[in-house]
């Protein structure tokens, strides 16, 4: 396993008190009587979509039409995206990041493609929307891996972009300029990688030119891939190969890369990708919500594949739910249990956590060992955690933790969540509600 995390890195309250938290706030008087573990990475988020969570859960296809689908959801999402500006994006992202921290994500990979103004013209400065995300991360204290996203085409057939996609588009040169500007802002709490929206949206020659540009020498490099069967069909028709196979043959896929979803792979693609050293970002709550399909988890893990988890559309913000449904999807389809467990780690929750931690850190461009003081403190006094040994704590949190067991979160020396609440929860929620008034007007 590629994990920099194992049970000894997971401390009980007594051991924890022997460590000092960089925030200097170990609260010895009340005692962090509980379990302390490294914070998780949310490897895939579109923060703005948090504000439309729940607004696409009604049927829009009329009788006789095709059913509601990923593609009809996308129309609803585009209509919502069309309304955002830097100010509302900042308010929505900050709310999403507060919820992420309260749920146990201490770092987020933001797959950011909503670059331009409503009319498709660049903002002045061109980084205005990126700056809104950076400000939201700084304000809330979550670590940010910003992934400015290249989006150039409307499909494999290079159909022109729809009016609603004009906010996403760059020429390669303009994109490289944006990337250069954002990279100059990197520092503690901000890492800047690259995303390619999808094989649909980035023509082969642009992919090749980007990879040759030098700016891609350093990762992380993320791409949406093989999420819907229509993409498999279109890729086969246009390029004669399935998407993951095509990517493996046309780009040097290695540990810099994070393939988001990779839902639909054949056995050869699964084995090749597992060997590549890349991470797959799995987003089970969104993949279920959008009707994507189920990832072949056990064969991929058996082949040594690396995984991370992501909240993607932010229909749900909960690493516990992502990890639980990652396993439950497999149980339902295989009619068996503990499918993510292994010979070395028989505890399913513990193994899932360790995998998601190591893969998430890789996808976020962080060092393997979680030494950066992004820590979670679980409430050992809660009855749900009574009489649990360390391995059982994670199994219990992931499979039985529907109540808030997370009490404290510290990131980079800031004590951000206390007694389950982010320190700025109220102010950020108030501004979010005001933004929603404008977004839904
Ligand atoms: C996105 N989301 O970019 O937000 C996409 C939908 C697309 C997911 N794939 C748009 N979950 O794929 O074209
Ligand atoms: Zn996505």
């Amino acid at each position: 396993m590629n994990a920099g995390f194992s049970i000894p890195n997971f401390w009980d309250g007594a051991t924890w008190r022997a460590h000092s938290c960089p925030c200097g706030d170990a609260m010895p008087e009340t005692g962090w009587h509980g379990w302390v573990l490294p914070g998780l990475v949310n490897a895939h988020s579109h923060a703005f979509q948090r504000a439309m969570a729940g607004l696409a859960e009604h049927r829009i296809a009329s009788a006789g039409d095709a059913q509601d689908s990923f593609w009809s959801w996308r129309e609803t999402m585009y209509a919502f995206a069309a309304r955002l500006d830097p100010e509302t994006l900042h308010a929505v992202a900050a709310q999403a990041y507060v919820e992420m921290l309260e749920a146990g994500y201490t770092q987020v990979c933001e797959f950011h493609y909503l670059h331009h103004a409503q009319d498709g013209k660049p903002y002045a400065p061109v980084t205005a929307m990126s700056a809104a995300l950076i400000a939201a991360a700084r304000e809330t204290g979550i670590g940010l891996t910003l992934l400015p996203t290249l989006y150039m085409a409307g499909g494999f057939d290079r159909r022109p972009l729809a009016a609603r996609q004009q906010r996403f588009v760059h020429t390669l040169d303009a994109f490289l300029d944006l990337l250069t500007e954002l990279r100059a802002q990197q520092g503690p709490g901000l890492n800047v990688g690259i995303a390619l929206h999808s094989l649909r949206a980035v023509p082969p020659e642009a992919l090749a030119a980007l990879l040759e540009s030098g700016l891609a020498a350093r990762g992380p490099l993320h791409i949406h891939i093989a999420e819907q069967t229509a993409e498999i069909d279109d890729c086969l028709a246009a390029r004669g190969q399935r998407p993951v196979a095509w990517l493996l043959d046309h780009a040097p896929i290695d540990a810099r890369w994070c393939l988001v979803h990779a839902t639909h792979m054949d056995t050869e693609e699964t084995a090749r990708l597992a060997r590549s050293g890349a991470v797959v970002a799995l987003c089970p709550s969104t993949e279920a919500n959008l009707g994507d399909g189920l990832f072949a988890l056990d064969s991929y893990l058996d082949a040594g594949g690396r995984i991370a988890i992501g909240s993607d559309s932010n229909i749900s913000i909960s690493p516990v739910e992502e990890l639980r449904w990652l396993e439950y999807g497999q149980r339902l389809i295989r009619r068996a249990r503990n499918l993510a467990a292994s010979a070395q780690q028989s505890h399913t929750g513990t193994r899932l956590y360790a995998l998601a931690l190591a893969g998430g850190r890789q996808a976020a461009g962080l060092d393997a060992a979680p030494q950066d003081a992004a820590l979670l403190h679980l409430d050992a006094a809660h009855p749900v955690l009574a009489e649990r040994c360390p391995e059982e704590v994670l199994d219990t949190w992931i499979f039985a933790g529907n109540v808030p067991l997370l009490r404290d979160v510290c990131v980079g020396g800031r004590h951000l969540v206390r007694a389950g609440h982010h320190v700025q929860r109220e102010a950020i929620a108030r501004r979010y509600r005001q933004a929603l008034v404008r977004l839904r007007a």
Side-chain angles (χ1 to χ4, degrees):
M1 193 172 63
N2 60 323
F5 164 78
S6 60
I7 290 297
N9 285 10
F10 170 59
W11 305 294
D12 65 18
T15 321
W16 166 246
R17 277 191 290 281
H19 286 72
S20 59
C21 178
C23 82
D25 209 1
M27 300 189 298
E29 64 290 356
T30 52
W32 277 29
H33 180 66
W35 299 100
V36 178
L37 54 150
L40 280 172
V41 173
N42 182 353
H44 190 65
S45 162
H46 309 283
F48 77 87
Q49 293 175 15
R50 181 56 176 167
M52 61 164 283
L55 299 182
E57 307 305 321
H58 60 279
R59 192 190 282 209
I60 54 175
S62 43
D65 278 3
Q67 285 176 313
D68 278 6
S69 67
F70 175 93
W71 307 103
S72 59
W73 167 84
R74 193 172 80 157
E75 289 307 311
T76 307
M77 186 272 280
Y78 280 176
F80 194 82
R83 307 196 62 132
L84 284 137
D85 61 14
E87 202 182 332
T88 45
L89 178 62
H90 174 216
V92 172
Q95 174 63 26
Y97 296 164
V98 161
E99 294 181 54
M100 287 178 197
L101 285 160
E102 289 182 353
Y105 292 123
T106 52
Q107 179 88 17
V108 59
C109 299
E110 187 62 38
F111 197 107
H112 168 52
Y113 59 88
L114 196 55
H115 300 293
H116 307 310
Q118 274 96 342
D119 60 3
K121 299 218 175 70
Y123 282 106
V126 294
T127 50
M129 293 294 261
S130 305
L133 295 166
I134 294 169
R138 293 234 161 92
E139 182 180 21
T140 58
I142 200 166
L144 176 64
T145 299
L146 182 62
L147 302 165
T149 302
L150 180 60
Y151 201 112
M152 300 175 85
F156 285 101
D157 55 5
R158 299 173 194 234
R159 77 192 74 155
L161 291 157
R164 281 172 169 168
Q165 296 169 320
Q166 297 297 337
R167 300 192 71 180
F168 317 156
V169 181
H170 281 106
T171 61
L172 185 60
D173 284 345
F175 179 74
L176 295 177
D177 288 347
L178 174 75
L179 188 59
T180 305
E181 278 199 44
L182 292 171
R183 285 228 162 127
Q185 297 179 33
Q186 287 187 116
L190 176 64
N191 200 3
V192 178
I194 299 174
L196 310 163
H197 183 274
S198 50
L199 291 182
R200 279 178 273 134
V202 180
E205 62 279 5
L207 171 65
L210 174 67
L211 294 175
E212 279 160 23
S213 73
L215 287 172
R218 249 203 49 215
L221 285 156
H222 289 223
I223 183 168
H224 286 133
I225 197 156
E227 180 182 9
Q228 283 277 319
T229 51
E231 180 188 329
I232 312 301
D233 299 342
D234 290 354
C235 190
L236 278 165
R239 303 192 189 169
Q241 272 183 300
R242 302 170 61 85
V244 173
W246 189 91
L247 187 68
L248 286 162
D249 283 348
H250 292 85
I253 301 300
D254 56 21
R256 288 171 301 163
W257 286 79
C258 175
L259 277 62
V260 181
H261 308 301
T263 312
H264 300 287
M265 294 194 285
D266 64 19
T267 40
E268 198 191 327
E269 287 174 302
T270 303
R272 286 182 69 196
L273 185 58
R275 281 196 304 269
S276 72
V279 176
V280 171
L282 299 166
C283 311
S285 68
T286 295
E287 289 155 6
N289 186 268
L290 299 180
D292 290 341
L294 276 176
F295 183 80
L297 185 69
D298 53 352
S299 47
Y300 178 74
L301 291 181
D302 287 349
R306 302 177 186 188
I307 58 164
I309 51 162
S311 64
D312 191 355
S313 68
N314 292 309
I315 184 70
S316 164
I317 297 184
S318 164
V320 165
E321 186 176 9
E322 301 308 336
L323 294 174
R324 181 185 300 172
W325 275 98
L326 192 50
E327 168 72 17
Y328 277 178
Q330 308 297 312
R331 290 190 191 185
L332 286 165
I333 198 151
R334 300 280 307 280
R335 302 184 203 166
R337 302 187 75 250
N338 294 320
L339 292 152
S342 69
Q344 295 76 31
Q345 180 48 269
S346 61
H347 286 268
T348 304
T350 302
R351 179 149 195 257
L352 283 169
Y353 200 93
L355 289 168
L357 180 66
R361 294 184 67 85
Q362 180 178 321
L366 300 175
D367 297 337
Q371 300 297 339
D372 53 1
L375 299 172
L376 314 181
H377 165 224
L378 294 186
D379 182 8
H382 197 286
V384 167
L385 294 180
E387 294 301 311
R388 296 293 191 272
C389 73
E391 294 88 342
E392 293 166 341
V393 167
L394 276 173
D395 289 351
T396 305
W397 186 34
I398 290 168
F399 291 102
N402 295 318
V403 286
L405 298 177
L406 192 54
R407 286 193 60 79
D408 298 271
V409 179
C410 279
V411 184
R414 289 165 75 188
H415 191 165
L416 299 170
V417 174
R418 295 168 189 259
H421 284 200
H422 189 277
V423 290
Q424 294 191 65
R425 180 196 250 220
E426 276 75 31
I428 287 171
R430 207 174 310 121
R431 190 179 61 199
Y432 173 77
R433 281 196 202 90
Q434 287 158 3
L436 261 285
V437 172
R438 276 176 280 152
L439 289 170
R440 301 213 71 198

